[in-house]
Each structure stands twice: as structure tokens, then as C-alpha cells.
């Protein structure tokens, strides 16, 4: 699956899953904007990818996905620099855990804003270019098994990840006449900084060991007790990006070692 001449924006691409998606797209020949809150890390990631060679390329872009003006400005800049925009991966995200009865409202709003406002703002900015250029496009949302299932302590995350499926379905319907598809990837647990931070937090909150969090909570319902990898998720993101028609739109794909089966 190749992405030669395609231009992609991947949010939250200076770390974890987004970084591997960006790398996989560059390896497939795409020009990729690594859009992240952390510009230094985004630029460092772009430099790291330069050494790969081949037809792909990467640039770092400063973007807080909750900042309407900055999202518009940076998406416009990427589209102008490369003269097209084909793929948006709305991936930036955080995790905050607490029982609902103790959840701080400010933290609830922060999480929903990054996951949902961020998805909306980047989608709106990207669609304007995709529609105008007339080359179609692929919008990919980073959902989670938590787009389908609930877990203790994760009220805003589960709410936001379920919400992304609704947004993808609307984009699939509205985008169809422009050849723009929208889909959601729903990974199981992947060892990234986001998950590494959660393990000790959950252990403390639930009064169990970190090993028990991994074995009895995170991987308990997988078919083989394995973490999903960043490359597993990036391969799914490449498939959605490279797929050639509206046949594959409005879907959500669970990549979770069988934790959740549809
Ligand atoms: P990560 O912490 O490794 O990376 C997240 C990146 O997002 C960071 O580079 C961070 O700077 C960036 N970011 C945070 N807030 C931002 C903002 N407001 N604007 C722009 N960038 C911002 O996390 P990850 O595990 O790679 O997670 C990426 C996505 O995958 C998230 O949406 C997450 O919910 C989802 N996900 C992760 C897992 C997992 O197990 N790691 C599982 C399912 C879904």
C-alpha cells in the first residue's frame, strides 16, 4: 500500500501511536505534517524521519488541537506548502483517570476538548481543503476499545471515544460526494507514554500491584495476553489511508488482540 504524492496531517505525532503512523506514511511515500503540542518533539521526529530517505518527507508543526485559530492556520499552511491534502489522522489524546464521583470538572472538560473539539476542529479545517482540491481524502480517528466498551475510572475517555464513532459516521455521509472517507481505529492497550503513566495510577487507585493492572485489567480479555503494538495500529492506519473508494467508510476497526470482538 503506497501513499506517493499524498499529503497527510497526523496530530499528536511526536509520540507513541501517532509517531509510528507518521513514520509508516513517510515510508509509504507520503509527505507528513507531524502536528503536536510539543513543537520541539515534532521537529525532532521530522529530523529523525529525514534519515529514512525515499520519496516521503516530514515537517514538524506546532498545533494545539483545541485552539481553533491555530488549527486553521496550521492546516492552511500545510495545504498551501504541499498544494494538496489527502489524509487527516486525528490522533492527539490524553488520559485522566478517577472515579466519576471524584472527577474534577476541569479535567473532564480538558479531556473532552482534546479528543472531541480537537477532532472536530482538525476535521473542519482539513475538509475545506479536501473538498476544494477535489482529490478525495481519508479522515481517520484514533478511537479505542473504549469506543465500544467501558472501564472503571475512565468516564470522559470512554465518552469521548464513543463520540468519535458518531463524528466519523457524519463525515462519511457528508464527505461521500467529495470522495472523502472517514473511519475509526480502535486499539487495545499499546505501551506508549500514555499507558505507562496509567499503570502506576491505576495500581494506586485500585490498591493492586502494577503487574496486576497489566495482567488482570489491561490484558485480561485479550486472546493471548499481549499488548497491541504501535506498528499494529499504524498498519491499520495505512490501510484506511490507502484504500481507494467509498466502499470503506463510516467503519470502526478494533485492533486489540481480541479484547473486544464485534
Ligand atoms: P502519547 O502520550 O504517546 O502521545 C500523545 C501525543 O499527543 C503527544 O505527543 C502529545 O504531545 C500530543 N498531544 C496531547 N495533547 C495535545 C493537543 N492538545 N494538541 C496536539 N497534540 C497533543 O499517547 P498514545 O498512546 O500514542 O495515544 C495516541 C492516541 O491513541 C490517543 O488518542 C489515545 O487515546 C489513543 N489510544 C491509545 C491507546 C494506548 O493504549 N496507548 C489505546 C487506544 C487508543
Amino acid at each position: 500500500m503506497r501513499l506517493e504524492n499524498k499529503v497527510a496531517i497526523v496530530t499528536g505525532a511526536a509520540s507513541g501511536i501517532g509517531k509510528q503512523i507518521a513514520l509508516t506514511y513517510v515510508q509509504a511515500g507520503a509527505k507528513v505534517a507531524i502536528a503536536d503540542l510539543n513543537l520541539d518533539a515534532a521537529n525532532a521526529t521530522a529530523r529523525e524521519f529525514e534519515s529514512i530517505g525515499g520519496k516521503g518527507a516530514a515537517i514538524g508543526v506546532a498545533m494545539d488541537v483545541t485552539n481553533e485559530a491555530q488549527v486553521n492556520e496550521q492546516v492552511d499552511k500545510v495545504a498551501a506548502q504541499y498544494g494538496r491534502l489527502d489524509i487527516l489522522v486525528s490522533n492527539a489524546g490524553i488520559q485522566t483517570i478517577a472515579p466519576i464521583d471524584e472527577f474534577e470538572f476541569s479535567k473532564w472538560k480538558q479531556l473532552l476538548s482534546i479528543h472531541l473539539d480537537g477532532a472536530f476542529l482538525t476535521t473542519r479545517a482539513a475538509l475545506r481543503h479536501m473538498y476544494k482540491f477535489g482529490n478525495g481524502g481519508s479522515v481517520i480517528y484514533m478511537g479505542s476499545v473504549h469506543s465500544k466498551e467501558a472501564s472503571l475510572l475512565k468516564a470522559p475517555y470512554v465518552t469521548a471515544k464513543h463520540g468519535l464513532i458518531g463524528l466519523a459516521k457524519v463525515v462519511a455521509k457528508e464527505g461521500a460526494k467529495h470522495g472523502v472517507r472517514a473511519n475509526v481505529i480502535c486499539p487495545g492497550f499499546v505501551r506508549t507514554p500514555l499507558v505507562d503513566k496509567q499503570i502506576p495510577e491505576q495500581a494506586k487507585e485500585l490498591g493492586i500491584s502494577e503487574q496486576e493492572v497489566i495482567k488482570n485489567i489491561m490484558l485480561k480479555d485479550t486472546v493471548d495476553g499481549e499488548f497491541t503494538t504501535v506498528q499494529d495500529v499504524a498498519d491499520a492506519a495505512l490501510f484506511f489511508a490507502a484504500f481507494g473508494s467509498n466502499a470503506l467508510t463510516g467503519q470502526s476497526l478494533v485492533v486489540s488482540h481480541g479484547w473486544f470482538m464485534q
Side-chain angles (χ1 to χ4, degrees):
M1 299 215 128
R2 300 295 301 166
L3 298 176
E4 254 103 34
N5 303 319
K6 304 279 189 197
V7 175
I9 296 176
V10 184
T11 69
S15 174
I17 291 172
K19 183 173 177 180
Q20 195 65 28
I21 292 172
L23 174 62
T24 301
Y25 284 0
V26 169
Q27 286 169 332
K31 297 182 177 62
V32 182
I34 298 176
D36 205 285
L37 200 55
N38 184 341
L39 180 61
D40 289 343
N43 283 333
T45 301
R47 281 195 300 276
E48 195 183 315
F49 292 175
E50 264 169 29
S51 57
I52 296 162
K55 289 192 177 150
I59 50 163
V61 168
M63 189 189 289
D64 175 350
V65 295
T66 67
N67 180 327
E68 181 179 10
Q70 195 182 33
V71 167
N72 288 338
E73 187 190 322
Q74 297 297 348
V75 171
D76 290 355
K77 231 166 137 177
V78 172
Q81 175 165 345
Y82 291 120
R84 60 187 292 153
L85 181 59
D86 305 280
I87 301 154
L88 167 69
V89 184
S90 170
N91 165 79
I94 60 164
Q95 179 62 279
T96 311
I97 60 160
I100 298 181
D101 55 316
E102 290 169 21
F103 227 106
E104 287 174 38
F105 188 35
S106 61
K107 296 217 157 133
W108 164 275
K109 283 195 283 196
Q110 180 199 31
L111 194 146
L112 289 188
S113 179
I114 294 172
H115 289 261
L116 291 180
D117 297 351
F120 162 67
L121 290 172
T122 51
T123 299
R124 190 181 62 176
L127 286 182
R128 288 172 177 164
H129 292 287
M130 289 175 180
Y131 291 177
K132 189 180 68 200
F133 286 128
N135 300 314
S138 176
V139 179
I140 299 164
Y141 298 100
M142 197 49 61
S144 163
V145 165
H146 289 109
S147 300
K148 313 270 181 182
E149 281 278 2
S151 287
L152 298 173
L153 312 176
K154 294 188 175 174
Y157 190 82
V158 171
T159 303
K161 291 303 192 189
H162 274 68
L164 290 175
I165 291 189
L167 177 61
K169 288 178 178 175
V170 177
V171 176
K173 291 207 167 190
E174 292 190 8
K177 62 178 179 289
H178 303 278
V180 174
R181 297 171 289 109
N183 294 288
V184 186
I185 302 173
C186 302
F189 281 101
V190 183
R191 282 310 282 264
T192 66
L194 179 140
V195 162
D196 286 338
K197 176 174 163 281
Q198 251 179 85
I199 295 169
E201 287 175 356
Q202 288 217 34
K204 191 166 166 230
E205 196 71 51
L206 299 170
I208 57 178
S209 73
E210 294 187 17
Q211 264 323 310
E212 284 171 320
V213 170
I214 292 173
K215 195 159 175 277
N216 300 339
I217 294 181
M218 293 185 163
L219 304 179
K220 180 168 92 52
D221 293 320
T222 62
V223 292
D224 51 11
E226 300 261 343
F227 277 102
T228 300
T229 68
V230 288
Q231 192 60 55
D232 295 327
V233 183
D235 288 344
L238 178 59
F239 180 69
F240 278 132
F243 199 85
S245 81
N246 279 349
L248 185 60
T249 196
Q251 303 305 306
S252 50
L253 180 66
V254 182
V255 184
S256 71
H257 283 259
W259 165 11
F260 179 83
M261 298 192 193
Q262 278 166 320

